[in-house]
Amino acid sequence: MDIESIKSYITAHAPEATFDETGEWLNIIVESNHVKPLAAVLHGQPMQLDFLFCLTCVDYKTHLTMVYHLTSSKDRSINIVIKANVNSADPIIETVSDIWRTAEFLEREVFEMFGVEFLHHPDLRKLILEEETAIAVDEQKELVTEKKGYWPLRKDFEDPINMIKL
């Protein structure tokens, strides 16, 4: 399929989608509640984008953007990126782990590092950081721990130990 055919197919199934062709791959921009239905359409026939090779999040300070990179294991010439903004104060989006199994692990990483909650994820728990993670140092130079509000890849994150500010 060429780019125009792909865009027509996507527009027929997701009329609210917009496109950005400034980069190497076709970027589809949708609202966060449209990601799952669009993902199901792209995974099925005729697109067969059966390989989610990257799922990440970008912090723009005013909002978070979920980014999904897709390709087909049968036709590697088709590469598509889905982008959806989520509210950084309450980041929630539907999981796609039931469509692409690789999303299970990648969504857990985004959950841990950015605080995005994936609805209906089968095993949404931390991967790397300890359950209680240091977030501050008190007057006696002892670590204070907390379970919520610690998202190391967000731009507003301040590391009390290494003193990193973005």
Side-chain angles (χ1 to χ4, degrees), residues 35 39 62 94 127:
V35 169
T62 58
E94 186 75 26
L127 282 171

Side-chain angles (χ1 to χ4, degrees), residues 142-156:
E142 292 183 21
L143 295 177
V144 177
T145 60
E146 188 174 300
K147 291 184 182 183
K148 293 199 179 261
Y150 183 86
W151 302 296
L153 293 184
R154 284 203 187 186
K155 290 189 176 170
D156 61 358

Side-chain angles (χ1 to χ4, degrees), residues 71-88:
T71 193
S72 169
S73 60
K74 295 174 179 53
D75 182 3
R76 293 293 175 134
S77 67
I78 301 173
N79 294 297
I80 289 180
V81 179
I82 301 173
K83 294 181 178 180
N85 294 340
V86 293
N87 181 346
S88 57

Side-chain angles (χ1 to χ4, degrees), residues 40-163:
V41 166
L42 295 176
H43 185 265
Q45 297 285 350
M47 296 294 294
Q48 292 184 325
L49 297 176
D50 58 349
F51 184 35
L52 171 72
F53 63 91
C54 181
L55 183 156
T56 193
C57 185
V58 180
D59 184 354
Y60 289 103
K61 289 192 177 182
T62 58
H63 63 278
L64 300 173
T65 300
M66 290 300 305
V67 183
Y68 305 80
H69 289 82
L70 311 171
T71 193
S72 169
S73 60
K74 295 174 179 53
D75 182 3
R76 293 293 175 134
S77 67
I78 301 173
N79 294 297
I80 289 180
V81 179
I82 301 173
K83 294 181 178 180
N85 294 340
V86 293
N87 181 346
S88 57
D90 189 23
I92 298 173
I93 194 164
E94 186 75 26
T95 185
V96 293
S97 62
D98 54 332
I99 298 172
W100 297 288
R101 187 76 192 266
T102 54
E104 257 187 64
F105 180 83
L106 299 170
E107 287 175 350
R108 285 178 60 189
E109 181 180 39
V110 170
F111 167 70
E112 180 173 23
M113 297 297 168
F114 289 93
V116 177
E117 182 181 342
F118 293 91
L119 295 176
H120 305 111
H121 189 282
D123 186 22
L124 197 57
R125 60 187 165 92
K126 291 187 174 190
L127 282 171
I128 303 163
L129 302 174
E130 294 177 15
E131 199 54 42
E132 291 189 3
T133 307
I135 63 161
V137 179
D138 66 14
E139 298 81 35
Q140 288 81 30
K141 305 292 183 207
E142 292 183 21
L143 295 177
V144 177
T145 60
E146 188 174 300
K147 291 184 182 183
K148 293 199 179 261
Y150 183 86
W151 302 296
L153 293 184
R154 284 203 187 186
K155 290 189 176 170
D156 61 358
F157 174 73
E158 292 184 22
D159 185 349
I161 297 168
N162 297 313
M163 294 178 258

Side-chain angles (χ1 to χ4, degrees), residues 18-23 25-29 83:
T18 58
F19 302 96
D20 177 6
E21 296 180 68
T22 57
W25 297 337
L26 176 63
N27 288 271
I28 307 164
I29 298 97
K83 294 181 178 180

